[in-house]
Amino acid sequence: MVLFAVALTVTVVVRRGGSSVGPTPPPRPLGAADAGGPAFPAARPIAAVRGLAGWSTAPDGRRLAILDAAQVTADGVAAGPGTAGPGTAGPGAAGTGTSVGAGGAGGGSWVRLAVDPAARGQRIDGFGAALTESSARLLWGLPPDQRAAVLRSLFDPVAGAGLSVVRVPMGASDFATGQYTYDDVAAGTADPRLARFSVARDDRAVVPVLREILAVDSRVRIVASPWSAPAWMKSSSRLGGGSLRPRWYGAWAEYFVRFVRAYAARGITVSAVTVQNEPGHGDPSYPTMTMSAAEQARFVATALGPAFAAAGLATDIVGYDHNWDTPAVPTQVLGDAAAGRYLSGIGWHCYRGDPSAQSQVHADFPGKATWLTECSAGDWHGRPADGFGWLADVVVDALRNWASTALLWNLALDPAGGPHLGGCGGCRGVVTIAPRAETDLRAVDRSPEFDLLGLAARAAPRGAVRIGARASSGAVGAVAFSLPDGHRSVLAHNRTDDEAVLTVDDGGGAFTVRLAPHALAAFRWRR
């Protein structure tokens, strides 16, 4: 068994019963002079332990360190924390146990993870975040060399976090510098032929940043979501709230076609669109639009699907794009045969409900893809690191429940969680960009979400296939994969306040590691 280990010491604060565990890590700068630097330095094979290599964050959370040979036990099974397993020293013995993360005293949980390579699930398309107008303008405001380094740290599949999917709002979301769509006209007038349609505003920052992302990795996929139709198409006659008037279904579908073609003309392929961001949410303070299940099905069946087909677009159409708490909505949309034939899958958000809703819908429609299209931590979790454990569980559990893609919310925000128009006032970006008065550079710090996405991308790179994984205890949440290069992998999260000992066994061999409290780790091995 050739074993690789990728590990993250999560010194996050996790609130349980009003108490906190662990210190809050300071912001982690991206490199010298904020130039970037390798986010995940190349691991060195360790021949003494049959090729083990890997990464672990340093205890202070400021940098990634490389594991060394003295920390590894391969092909051994521990009987419990600090004790010996059959035929090998226990993980607590000097020079044998892999201490993943900050480590700690004995005690805690022992979890055995049985990996079943024969049980196969979904193919993984990737991980990423949203390039909102707010994110794009912050990134575009960086000096070119610094911006290039930051984008490499995010999207480079070898030296960076390896993000491979970007979500783009079609017009303004709650994270923009103003309310707009691509076809705004004077109040009381309409533009049924879309004569005024233009994505020129995106040329200021969104399009050039996307081009630079694609220059880092041309395989990055773009998915687009509308927050609102133009006011003249809506029952509210404004961008905030209201629903789409049926008389404008055809014009709204053509709007999607024009958007996809406009981006293609700029060298950007839109791989997928969602029908409507959060169709059950109609906040009047920023661009939103409600769309019931029946309305979604009717729009897709009679307008959007036929318009894409007539235009010859291969762009996927993804339905729902809202929370786990109302699985009846995507079930109804997919259950409409006229709409379902045009839909490639269903998008989910993490803010209400449980990820098991994904499996519920998948069971009824196994041929449709499952996407986690949005999730964000923020100041409602307390200190910046408090939401890490929650997000780690979201990503692990979404993957266990058929998600092929997992996307967080804003790629970049300022220290105040903006710029934003309303909606989320305390969201956190994957990176934080702040002015630095004494230089032309800006301070760019990566959030815990940066490391989460990077570890997920290493455990499940594009093309990985989920395989069976059953844990003996809920103390560790874990999901396993078969990788295109022949490796197998596990993404595991210690959900407890104590150190956990994890034995991973795929039927042909085993290895044992220690997970620090609230640590997220990824392991790769080859037969």
Side-chain angles (χ1 to χ4, degrees), residues 8 100 246 263 273 286 289 314 320 358 410 446 497 511:
L8 172 61
V100 176
Y263 266 55
V273 296
Y286 65 93
M289 188 168 75
Y320 188 50
Q358 297 176 179
N410 289 273
R446 70 181 195 242
D497 295 343
F511 59 91

Side-chain angles (χ1 to χ4, degrees), residues 433-451:
I433 299 176
R436 177 177 286 173
E438 68 273 17
T439 70
D440 289 335
L441 296 178
R442 291 173 178 261
V444 182
D445 295 324
R446 70 181 195 242
S447 70
E449 287 86 336
F450 181 102
D451 297 309

Side-chain angles (χ1 to χ4, degrees), residues 11 82 218 259 373 391 406 521:
T11 54
S218 62
F259 169 80
T373 46
L391 271 177

Side-chain angles (χ1 to χ4, degrees), residues 131 222 344 515 518:
L131 185 69
I222 311 300
S344 299
L515 298 176
H518 311 295

Side-chain angles (χ1 to χ4, degrees), residues 176-213:
T177 57
Q179 297 202 20
Y180 67 96
T181 72
Y182 301 132
D183 198 333
D184 296 320
V185 298
T189 65
D191 183 21
R193 296 183 181 276
L194 303 183
R196 295 178 60 86
F197 180 92
S198 173
V199 300
R201 178 167 174 144
D202 289 359
D203 291 330
R204 302 175 189 174
V206 176
V207 166
V209 172
L210 282 175
R211 285 173 172 156
E212 292 189 358
I213 288 170

Side-chain angles (χ1 to χ4, degrees), residues 12 69 111 130 180 194 222 242 293 353 366 383-384 420 439-440 449 455 468 473 496 511-512 521:
V12 300
V111 179
Y180 67 96
L194 303 183
I222 311 300
R383 289 174 287 179
H420 69 97
T439 70
D440 289 335
E449 287 86 336
L455 287 171
S473 164
T496 74
F511 59 91
T512 298

Side-chain angles (χ1 to χ4, degrees), residues 155-521:
F155 293 96
D156 189 301
V158 177
L163 307 191
S164 56
V165 185
V166 175
R167 185 175 181 227
V168 179
M170 293 169 57
S173 67
D174 41 332
F175 284 87
T177 57
Q179 297 202 20
Y180 67 96
T181 72
Y182 301 132
D183 198 333
D184 296 320
V185 298
T189 65
D191 183 21
R193 296 183 181 276
L194 303 183
R196 295 178 60 86
F197 180 92
S198 173
V199 300
R201 178 167 174 144
D202 289 359
D203 291 330
R204 302 175 189 174
V206 176
V207 166
V209 172
L210 282 175
R211 285 173 172 156
E212 292 189 358
I213 288 170
L214 293 168
V216 175
D217 183 356
S218 62
R219 300 173 301 163
V220 169
R221 297 187 67 196
I222 311 300
V223 56
S225 302
W227 264 244
S228 175
W232 55 270
M233 294 187 188
K234 299 176 64 180
S235 62
S236 61
S237 298
R238 57 183 293 179
L239 297 188
S243 59
L244 182 65
R245 295 182 186 274
R247 67 180 292 200
W248 298 121
Y249 278 12
W252 184 226
E254 177 62 20
Y255 183 105
F256 276 76
V257 171
R258 298 273 188 98
F259 169 80
V260 173
R261 285 177 167 170
Y263 266 55
R266 288 159 170 78
I268 299 167
T269 299
V270 177
S271 299
V273 296
T274 69
V275 176
Q276 173 59 42
N277 176 72
E278 299 191 342
H281 183 62
D283 190 325
S285 68
Y286 65 93
T288 58
M289 188 168 75
T290 59
M291 188 176 277
S292 70
E295 289 169 332
Q296 292 175 56
R298 190 180 312 119
F299 172 62
V300 171
T302 66
L304 186 59
F308 273 28
L313 298 181
T315 307
D316 290 330
I317 301 175
V318 178
Y320 188 50
D321 205 12
H322 208 172
N323 290 323
W324 292 317
D325 62 338
T326 55
V329 174
T331 297
Q332 182 178 340
V333 175
L334 289 174
D336 184 300
R341 69 191 187 99
Y342 291 114
L343 292 170
S344 299
I346 292 296
W348 299 89
H349 293 192
C350 69
Y351 306 114
R352 291 183 181 178
D354 184 271
S356 62
Q358 297 176 179
S359 286
Q360 178 182 332
V361 174
H362 174 82
D364 292 332
F365 304 96
K368 302 299 184 180
T370 299
W371 292 43
L372 180 66
T373 46
E374 183 183 313
C375 192
S376 179
D379 61 9
W380 56 91
H381 290 289
R383 289 174 287 179
D386 285 2
F388 185 91
W390 174 74
L391 271 177
D393 274 345
V394 163
V395 171
V396 168
D397 289 344
L399 292 167
R400 288 184 60 84
N401 286 275
W402 297 97
S404 60
T405 302
L407 307 179
L408 302 187
W409 193 194
N410 289 273
L411 188 63
L413 290 176
D414 66 25
H420 69 97
L421 299 175
C424 179
C427 283
R428 183 169 64 236
V430 178
V431 297
T432 301
I433 299 176
R436 177 177 286 173
E438 68 273 17
T439 70
D440 289 335
L441 296 178
R442 291 173 178 261
V444 182
D445 295 324
R446 70 181 195 242
S447 70
E449 287 86 336
F450 181 102
D451 297 309
L452 187 158
L453 290 171
L455 287 171
R458 274 161 175 71
R462 184 191 291 108
V465 174
R466 181 170 65 91
I467 56 178
R470 184 178 297 275
S472 62
S473 164
V476 174
V479 60
F481 304 93
S482 175
L483 308 189
D485 64 1
H487 287 85
R488 294 169 186 163
S489 68
V490 165
L491 182 67
H493 176 226
N494 179 4
R495 294 167 166 163
T496 74
D497 295 343
D498 300 310
E499 183 180 77
V501 175
L502 176 67
T503 293
V504 178
D505 188 344
D506 67 0
F511 59 91
T512 298
V513 298
R514 285 182 180 239
L515 298 176
H518 311 295
L520 179 70

